[in-house]
Amino acid sequence: MTLSSHWTPTHSRRVVCCQGSPGSCGVEGAPPSLGPGPRPEPGKGEERCTSKLVRADSRGCGHRRSVRAGEGEMQAGSPAQHEPPLTGSWGMRQEEGFWNLHPSEMPRRQCVFLEKVEPVPGPAPAPAAPEAPGVPGEAVASATEVEGGSSGPEGSSSAVPNGHGAADDPIGLFVTRPQDGEVTVGGSITFSAQVAGASLLKPPMVKWFKGKWVDLSSKVGQHLQLHDSYDRASKIYLFELHISDAQATFAGGYRCEVSTKDKFDSCNFNLTVHEAIGPGDLDLRSAFRRTSLAGGGRRISDSHEDAGILDFSSLLKKRDSFRTPRDSKLEAPAEEDVWEILRQAPASEYERIAFQHGVTDLRGMLKRLKGMKRDEKKSTAFQKKLEPAYQVSKGHKIRLSVELADPDAEVKWLKNGQEIQMSGSKYIFESNGAKRTLTISQCSLADDAAYQCVVGGEKCSTELFVKEPPVLITRPLEDQLVMVGQRVEFECEVSEEGAQVKWLKDGVELTREETFKYRFKKDGQKHHLIINEVTLEDAGHYALRTSGGQALAELIVQEKKLEVYQSIADLTVGAKDQAVFKCEVSDENVRGVWLKNGKELVPDSRIKVSHIGRVHKLTIDDVTPADEADYSFVPEGFACNLSAKLHFMEVKIDFVPRQEPPKIHLDCPGRTSDTIVVVAGNKLRLDVPISGDPAPTVIWQKTVTQGKKAPAGPAPDASGDAGASEEWVFDKKLLCETEGRVRVETTKDRSIFTVEGAEKEDEGVYTVTVKNPVGEDQVNLTVKVIDVPDAPAAPKISNVGEDSCTVHWEPPAYDGGQPVLGYILERKKKKSYRWMRLNFDLLRELRHEARRMIEGVVYEMRVYAVNAIGMSRPSPASQPFMPVGPPSEPTHLAVEDVSDTTVSLKWRPPEREGAGGLDGYSVEYCQEGCSEWVPALQGLTERTSMLVKDLPTGARLLFRVRAHNVAGPGAPVTTKEPVTVQEILQRPRLQLPRHLRQTIQRRVGEPVNLLIPFQGKPRPQVTWTKEGQPLAGEEVSIRNSSTDTILFIRAARRTHSGTYQVALRIENMEDKATLVLQIIDKPSPPVDIRVTETWGFNVALEWKPPQDDGNTEILGYTVQKADKKTMEWFTVLEHYRRTHCVVSELIIGNGYYFRVFSHNMVGPSDSAATTKEPVFIPRPGITYEPPNYKALDFSEAPSFTHPLVNRSVIAGYNATLCCAVRGSPKPKVSWFKNGLDLGEDARFRMFSKQGVLTLEIRKPCPFDGGVYICRATNLQGEAQCECRLEVRVPQ
């Protein structure tokens, strides 16, 4: 046996793995949670450990598993050095839903027991959160980690949720970032983020995401709520994500993004959801069950049973539960014999009993127990039991056979304690004498289980092992060369569909739990690894490993070249001015750093760095001489450096110790109003240099509309409280506030007027006046605020076609102070929330033809206006509309009939009607050579034929037909040639059907309806005669139309028989046809029946034919006889054609009557000719004395000679259940299904013929399955038999 040990710096115990040696595997030292010894007190050298028993196949311990304990991680699977054998060993056996130890299986399977131990620091550590179920090996951060904080995924600082001890973020927007959290299933948790609002003009935009793309704002509901608030005292925005009634699927990574007009920041955090397991819910056996690798802590299905592993970590991490005093029920009394308990207990209870009684050498226990069970008495139910274990390859079939002591005993087969039901061809049950066989076809890993054969109270067990063939690589991976940011997809094909594979990078397994970067996809035998946005760190060797080999490929990632659209430029600014360096690069995801004289620039309240899209900006407020330096922008990951120089311009004013009138130093010689343009939302700063001695007083005023009263503040030189008095003017507004959005700051040599976040109301003419005792100066400055346009009005839709429409809209009411450059149009489906942009180039016109829409789908449109500043808000949505195309032209237009004033047209519907269906058809006509079409009717007709009336006789007309729907009329279809409105003379012709050309027979009382089509124009004259005489009477009616004639008799009589003639006449042209009608009835009875001779056992009869044959030929006679004693009539001869016969085999001494019926094609005569006197058959010379017989009782209780048998049928096909019964008197039969009588159910039909009973089930469904009982009852007793019917649904 080869042993390997692995060491890590924090381990205090060695981890040993057996490789390649059958039958042994162990761990040095017993796990703390499994041993019976005393446990250390918390904080005194206590060790936390997590162990995991991993199932390996027959190829040895080749699997590598990662086990985490606390926050550490250890990998096992590679040999390092030899170790002596370890105490204790573990085997595996699955029975009744969990794994048991079985020494007979040790040579065939091996296991790996991984153990990792790490001491818990501190005297009183916080309890570690339980590991989330279904995620083996995932570590949960302790409370110590949460309090200490850790850097986010992007290197930004983090803080605890309550914000204590959190420092302000000098660069980002977050004051407090959301932290990783843990919650129990069904519990609630709140994540909070705090954003500083002191420097923000508008509230920031915050978005919460789960994973990479799922926006949680669309998931707000019962389980998720979003809250935000603003604290005016601290000027901090608080955003909260509240999750209630947490589920296991809520676990994963989350992201919070916050953005303002020129800043963006984000933070990632994780949520771990634990299952709620109390101390009393601990189940040792649950550690032996296979767990799914798919997560969720539940067993996926039987077919994926082997996809999991044996997870002991849930046991070892719940050590606190084991420290509680053990239940008195679990404590075994001292006088109990453990071996007697184990011998009588089922194998599924071995683990629990061993744990309760402190048995740690499980292999030795099983070996001794196996020897004890050999001495048990021989089974009374089985002559030959199942083998201890069977092995079969995947896809093959296996037979499990036993021999019974009683051949008639009933057998049940169990799989993992559940009875196996007969379904399809998967399981086949065979019975041959005392031998019972279970055949399992197409074995899969789901069939790897414990099987039992139960006979009465005894059972025998076995274990079936399904050997899985190795999964081979059929198409290897290919090397790939990509650029940074591109998408990479590795594809590999294996030999088996749905096989379990591992993806590795540079020898390290890639899992979904580690990062959202990788995406794994299975498509049959193909496996894909997808990396959406590749970085330089993703370069390396990627491998796909299966149980039969691995495929290796190399990924080479090259840097993407960065293009500079706009470089930073040199700046020259004065004191306290604002300097802005701005550059634009080709990649908006590129980050970078700003350098000052080669050193990284640290932002503060005066120096701000922003990154919006492709634009990077450095803003320096209140420039000082110390800011004069070389500034550079260095993009991360690119060998690029953008540099510029900041020059400081110092303004020197010579002091003249004399009085000087005030002066405003602006470049406006004529003191005309200068226009200053500012974009709405931006900062407006008017820096006006002034001079004068003594220092002048500066007054800022804004001209307002005449006639409107505007409040004015006190003059800047006013003494006292500024808010105590107000000055009101009608034409100008004084501006003197030193704080707020609009403020004025005045120094000795300059006056600064600042507007934070310019608005439309800030537009106007501002007057700057400087005064001192020597004089005054004044300048007017015109400020124009430009903004994005207002939203246009809702667009209007017209010219709706099959897949297009025309959209009209009006310009916005306000263009934002800049001319509108164009418009952007968007479209969406009515029930959708996703708008799709229709144009990427601006639309200059106020209309647009939108195309490529789906017919029959309701859409809405909206429009944006765009000027030089940006894009307006969207307009209101248009009225919903549905693209519907006009129908195509009708087909097969034809002229059906023409008269002197009418034309009959017919056609077929168009091939394409449109999504809205047809509204009808319009018919028009015009004269030949004319272009004016006249409608044939007002409105539309829904029929596909029409009679156009009131047409001029002799005119040559063209006709056309259009189909109409919601979209309007479609293309017309026109007659190919002009139609002359004139009656066409057509010779009369009778089209006598074939069945009327021979004799027509009808029975008395039946209706007669003879329809004869004809042709002829103009309409011919129809004449009916019978035997040359015109038809008279109300019993025979004639109905004529333009195309046929009908002879109708409601109830036929014999007098209606005869020859009928129909004649068509048009002027001097005529056509005739003859019909023969025969009305038939039953014949009368024969006449003059008499006995002509009697001899021995014979009688000779003779009769005459009936007087009335029923108007048809006599087909024969029926002769019957009746004993004088019983007068029961028996048929002697049938279909007899002669008028005399001999009746034989009569009984001597009896008297007989005879009668005769006559037959024709209608049937037998209503009465018969009967002999008047009985005919006696004498016995000459012998006197017969009848013997005396003792009356015998033949009564018998019902019994089934052939019982019902179990059946399995397919749903939808009639099924029958048959059995045979005997009994005297004839028993009464009843059928039952699951105890319910089926006598009144129309879906079941019961038949009984000569003792054979049949139940027919019409088109059974799965609900018709169940137990059916047939019960037979008479005066002597009753009997019943039953069967089970299974109704299968075809796959």
Side-chain angles (χ1 to χ4, degrees), residues 481-485 536 556-561:
L481 173 63
V482 296
M483 305 293 291
V484 172
L536 293 175
I556 302 175
V557 182
Q558 294 183 350
E559 290 186 355
K560 186 166 58 176
K561 295 181 179 179

Side-chain angles (χ1 to χ4, degrees), residues 793-1096:
K796 299 179 180 179
I797 310 300
S798 62
N799 300 333
V800 180
E802 179 181 358
D803 63 346
S804 62
C805 70
T806 302
V807 187
H808 301 266
W809 61 90
E810 297 296 331
Y814 173 62
D815 61 2
Q818 292 289 310
V820 177
L821 302 178
Y823 300 89
I824 293 174
L825 195 61
E826 289 185 340
R827 177 188 73 205
K828 79 172 181 69
K829 298 177 182 177
K830 181 173 176 56
K831 295 184 178 180
S832 174
Y833 296 97
R834 180 176 175 268
W835 289 90
M836 184 179 69
R837 188 168 176 173
L838 300 184
N839 62 298
F840 292 95
D841 297 331
L842 296 180
L843 300 175
R844 307 294 180 182
E845 304 294 333
L846 296 177
R847 63 187 300 276
H848 178 70
E849 185 175 359
R851 295 185 174 276
R852 299 179 65 182
M853 290 182 284
I854 303 174
E855 185 178 7
V857 177
V858 181
Y859 289 94
E860 292 178 342
M861 295 280 188
R862 71 181 184 185
V863 66
Y864 295 84
V866 181
N867 63 4
I869 305 305
M871 188 167 59
S872 70
R873 291 180 292 103
S875 70
S878 66
Q879 290 294 329
F881 66 95
M882 178 190 298
V884 177
S888 60
E889 61 183 20
T891 58
H892 299 88
L893 176 63
V895 178
E896 193 174 22
D897 193 11
V898 180
S899 68
D900 289 340
T901 59
T902 62
V903 174
S904 179
L905 302 174
K906 65 177 182 179
W907 61 90
R908 292 183 182 178
E911 296 179 354
R912 182 174 54 80
E913 298 181 354
L918 290 181
D919 294 338
Y921 302 91
S922 63
V923 181
E924 300 173 313
Y925 63 88
C926 74
Q927 294 278 353
E928 183 182 15
C930 182
S931 60
E932 182 181 357
W933 290 90
V934 180
L937 76 163
Q938 297 298 328
L940 303 177
T941 179
E942 296 182 357
R943 303 179 60 182
T944 57
S945 62
M946 183 180 179
L947 180 64
V948 184
K949 302 179 181 180
D950 301 330
L951 299 176
T953 304
R956 291 175 58 83
L957 303 177
L958 289 171
F959 294 86
R960 72 179 185 183
V961 181
R962 291 175 182 264
H964 293 250
N965 66 2
V966 179
V973 57
T974 310
T975 54
K976 298 180 180 179
E977 299 292 338
V979 179
T980 303
V981 184
Q982 184 177 0
E983 189 76 56
I984 302 174
L985 182 63
Q986 184 178 10
R987 188 178 186 85
R989 179 185 176 187
L990 285 166
Q991 298 174 338
L992 191 65
R994 185 181 298 274
H995 68 280
L996 298 181
R997 297 177 186 176
Q998 53 191 358
T999 301
I1000 306 167
Q1001 291 184 339
R1002 295 289 187 273
R1003 297 184 181 184
V1004 173
E1006 291 183 349
V1008 178
N1009 191 1
L1010 307 179
L1011 185 146
I1012 304 175
F1014 60 79
Q1015 295 178 348
K1017 291 185 179 181
R1019 182 172 177 174
Q1021 181 181 359
V1022 182
T1023 305
W1024 284 85
T1025 59
K1026 177 185 178 185
E1027 307 294 346
Q1029 300 296 326
L1031 293 178
E1034 297 180 355
E1035 297 180 356
V1036 180
S1037 60
I1038 304 298
R1039 303 174 186 174
N1040 298 324
S1041 69
S1042 60
T1043 57
D1044 55 35
T1045 179
I1046 299 175
L1047 172 67
F1048 179 73
I1049 303 174
R1050 186 174 301 277
R1053 295 190 300 171
R1054 293 279 291 275
T1055 57
H1056 294 146
S1057 299
T1059 302
Y1060 293 80
Q1061 191 176 47
V1062 58
L1064 290 180
R1065 178 180 292 276
I1066 300 177
E1067 297 179 356
N1068 59 349
M1069 295 177 290
E1070 187 179 18
D1071 191 12
K1072 296 182 179 180
T1074 302
L1075 295 83
V1076 178
L1077 179 62
Q1078 182 181 7
I1079 306 301
I1080 59 178
D1081 197 2
K1082 292 181 180 180
S1084 61
V1087 296
D1088 297 338
I1089 181 173
R1090 61 191 180 89
V1091 178
T1092 58
E1093 186 179 0
T1094 301
W1095 74 97

Side-chain angles (χ1 to χ4, degrees), residues 352-422:
R352 182 182 61 81
I353 298 173
F355 176 73
Q356 290 179 1
H357 294 272
V359 179
T360 58
D361 187 3
L362 299 182
R363 177 175 294 177
M365 180 194 75
L366 291 174
K367 186 174 181 181
R368 178 176 176 182
L369 188 61
K370 187 176 181 181
M372 293 175 59
K373 290 201 172 184
R374 289 199 187 100
D375 301 334
E376 295 178 357
K377 61 181 181 179
K378 186 177 180 181
S379 173
T380 58
F382 295 95
Q383 290 186 354
K384 181 180 178 182
K385 292 188 176 183
L386 294 170
E387 296 294 333
Y390 295 85
Q391 182 173 344
V392 64
S393 298
K394 183 179 179 182
H396 292 71
K397 69 178 180 180
I398 185 72
R399 287 187 176 90
L400 309 180
S401 300
V402 296
E403 291 186 6
L404 308 180
D406 182 7
D408 298 329
E410 292 188 0
V411 172
K412 290 184 180 180
W413 292 92
L414 307 180
K415 174 185 177 182
N416 288 338
Q418 300 295 327
E419 183 176 357
I420 301 175
Q421 303 293 337
M422 181 175 62

Side-chain angles (χ1 to χ4, degrees), residues 288-557:
F288 292 85
R289 296 192 181 101
R290 289 187 178 100
T291 58
S292 169
L293 291 176
R298 52 190 169 88
R299 195 162 175 165
I300 297 176
S301 66
D302 291 341
S303 60
H304 299 286
E305 211 169 33
D306 288 349
I309 60 176
L310 294 179
D311 187 4
F312 285 89
S313 60
S314 60
L315 270 181
L316 300 178
K317 288 193 175 183
K318 298 185 181 74
R319 61 191 182 279
D320 294 336
S321 302
F322 286 91
R323 295 194 187 101
T324 58
R326 281 190 270 183
D327 192 352
S328 58
K329 297 180 181 179
L330 299 178
E331 294 288 346
E335 64 272 9
E336 287 185 346
D337 187 358
V338 177
W339 300 107
E340 183 65 23
I341 296 175
L342 288 171
R343 192 176 65 84
Q344 296 179 359
S348 61
E349 298 293 327
Y350 288 170
E351 299 292 341
R352 182 182 61 81
I353 298 173
F355 176 73
Q356 290 179 1
H357 294 272
V359 179
T360 58
D361 187 3
L362 299 182
R363 177 175 294 177
M365 180 194 75
L366 291 174
K367 186 174 181 181
R368 178 176 176 182
L369 188 61
K370 187 176 181 181
M372 293 175 59
K373 290 201 172 184
R374 289 199 187 100
D375 301 334
E376 295 178 357
K377 61 181 181 179
K378 186 177 180 181
S379 173
T380 58
F382 295 95
Q383 290 186 354
K384 181 180 178 182
K385 292 188 176 183
L386 294 170
E387 296 294 333
Y390 295 85
Q391 182 173 344
V392 64
S393 298
K394 183 179 179 182
H396 292 71
K397 69 178 180 180
I398 185 72
R399 287 187 176 90
L400 309 180
S401 300
V402 296
E403 291 186 6
L404 308 180
D406 182 7
D408 298 329
E410 292 188 0
V411 172
K412 290 184 180 180
W413 292 92
L414 307 180
K415 174 185 177 182
N416 288 338
Q418 300 295 327
E419 183 176 357
I420 301 175
Q421 303 293 337
M422 181 175 62
S423 60
S425 59
K426 178 66 177 178
Y427 299 104
I428 301 175
F429 303 95
E430 299 180 34
S431 175
N432 185 9
K435 187 175 183 180
R436 301 291 188 271
T437 304
L438 168 64
T439 303
I440 307 174
S441 334
Q442 296 292 329
C443 289
S444 64
L445 294 180
D447 299 318
D448 188 306
Y451 291 84
Q452 293 179 334
C453 179
V454 180
V455 178
E458 293 192 32
K459 63 182 178 181
C460 60
S461 304
T462 187
E463 178 85 3
L464 176 62
F465 297 95
V466 180
K467 183 179 180 181
E468 184 179 9
V471 180
L472 304 177
I473 304 292
T474 57
R475 191 173 70 182
L477 298 172
E478 297 181 357
D479 296 340
Q480 297 198 34
L481 173 63
V482 296
M483 305 293 291
V484 172
Q486 290 185 348
R487 182 178 182 271
V488 175
E489 181 172 354
F490 288 101
E491 179 180 335
C492 183
E493 188 172 343
V494 298
S495 60
E496 185 175 342
E497 192 170 318
Q500 294 290 333
V501 301
K502 290 183 182 179
W503 287 95
L504 300 95
K505 179 197 174 189
D506 297 332
V508 179
E509 182 180 357
L510 302 176
T511 60
R512 291 184 178 88
E513 289 79 6
E514 294 177 356
T515 177
F516 294 97
K517 186 177 187 65
Y518 303 105
R519 188 159 62 93
F520 308 96
K521 185 174 70 173
K522 290 184 181 180
D523 184 10
Q525 297 179 348
K526 295 181 179 180
H527 294 259
H528 302 261
L529 170 63
I530 301 173
I531 309 174
N532 285 325
E533 297 180 359
V534 178
T535 61
L536 293 175
E537 290 76 12
D538 295 324
H541 292 82
Y542 289 81
L544 180 132
R545 181 176 298 172
T546 67
S547 58
Q550 74 173 14
L552 188 65
E554 184 179 4
L555 175 62
I556 302 175
V557 182

Side-chain angles (χ1 to χ4, degrees), residues 455-766:
V455 178
E458 293 192 32
K459 63 182 178 181
C460 60
S461 304
T462 187
E463 178 85 3
L464 176 62
F465 297 95
V466 180
K467 183 179 180 181
E468 184 179 9
V471 180
L472 304 177
I473 304 292
T474 57
R475 191 173 70 182
L477 298 172
E478 297 181 357
D479 296 340
Q480 297 198 34
L481 173 63
V482 296
M483 305 293 291
V484 172
Q486 290 185 348
R487 182 178 182 271
V488 175
E489 181 172 354
F490 288 101
E491 179 180 335
C492 183
E493 188 172 343
V494 298
S495 60
E496 185 175 342
E497 192 170 318
Q500 294 290 333
V501 301
K502 290 183 182 179
W503 287 95
L504 300 95
K505 179 197 174 189
D506 297 332
V508 179
E509 182 180 357
L510 302 176
T511 60
R512 291 184 178 88
E513 289 79 6
E514 294 177 356
T515 177
F516 294 97
K517 186 177 187 65
Y518 303 105
R519 188 159 62 93
F520 308 96
K521 185 174 70 173
K522 290 184 181 180
D523 184 10
Q525 297 179 348
K526 295 181 179 180
H527 294 259
H528 302 261
L529 170 63
I530 301 173
I531 309 174
N532 285 325
E533 297 180 359
V534 178
T535 61
L536 293 175
E537 290 76 12
D538 295 324
H541 292 82
Y542 289 81
L544 180 132
R545 181 176 298 172
T546 67
S547 58
Q550 74 173 14
L552 188 65
E554 184 179 4
L555 175 62
I556 302 175
V557 182
Q558 294 183 350
E559 290 186 355
K560 186 166 58 176
K561 295 181 179 179
L562 185 68
E563 298 181 11
V564 180
Y565 293 156
Q566 178 184 350
S567 183
I568 58 178
D570 293 345
L571 296 177
T572 301
V573 295
K576 295 191 176 181
D577 286 346
Q578 185 185 63
V580 179
F581 291 100
K582 184 173 69 174
C583 64
E584 185 177 358
V585 296
S586 59
D587 191 350
E588 62 181 12
N589 295 322
V590 170
R591 299 181 180 274
V593 295
W594 289 89
L595 305 179
K596 177 182 178 181
N597 292 332
K599 296 182 179 180
E600 184 175 353
L601 191 63
V602 179
D604 54 20
S605 59
R606 193 173 61 89
I607 301 175
K608 300 179 180 61
V609 175
S610 64
H611 172 204
I612 302 176
R614 299 193 299 254
V615 178
H616 297 261
K617 187 185 294 184
L618 170 63
T619 304
I620 304 175
D621 294 330
D622 298 333
V623 176
T624 62
D627 295 326
E628 185 173 11
D630 292 325
Y631 292 87
S632 302
F633 175 74
V634 180
E636 291 183 359
F638 295 92
C640 180
N641 188 353
L642 307 179
S643 300
K645 178 79 173 178
L646 176 62
H647 300 278
F648 180 76
M649 181 180 65
E650 187 174 356
V651 179
K652 297 183 179 180
I653 301 177
D654 296 332
F655 175 75
V656 179
R658 61 184 177 84
Q659 290 189 348
E660 179 183 357
K663 184 176 180 58
I664 299 174
H665 300 278
L666 290 178
D667 296 333
C668 44
R671 290 295 188 261
T672 58
S673 174
D674 269 352
T675 300
I676 301 170
V677 180
V678 62
V679 178
N682 288 359
K683 181 178 179 180
L684 171 63
R685 179 187 173 101
L686 301 180
D687 195 344
V688 179
I690 60 175
S691 63
D693 192 8
T697 300
V698 182
I699 301 175
W700 286 83
Q701 294 176 306
K702 178 184 177 184
T703 304
V704 297
T705 305
Q706 290 288 340
K708 291 186 179 180
K709 182 184 291 185
D717 55 352
S719 61
D721 188 1
S725 62
E726 293 184 351
E727 182 180 351
W728 295 86
V729 296
F730 291 91
D731 55 347
K732 291 187 178 181
K733 175 183 178 182
L734 291 179
L735 305 173
C736 58
E737 295 291 337
T738 58
E739 291 184 358
R741 191 181 66 87
V742 180
R743 59 183 181 272
V744 176
E745 300 175 9
T746 303
T747 60
K748 180 180 179 181
D749 57 351
R750 65 183 62 247
S751 180
I752 303 172
F753 175 71
T754 305
V755 179
E756 296 285 355
E759 299 176 354
K760 183 69 174 66
E761 291 75 11
D762 298 326
E763 192 176 79
V765 178
Y766 291 84

Side-chain angles (χ1 to χ4, degrees), residues 94 272 607 668 1238:
Q94 180 190 15
T272 305
I607 301 175
C668 44
L1238 302 179

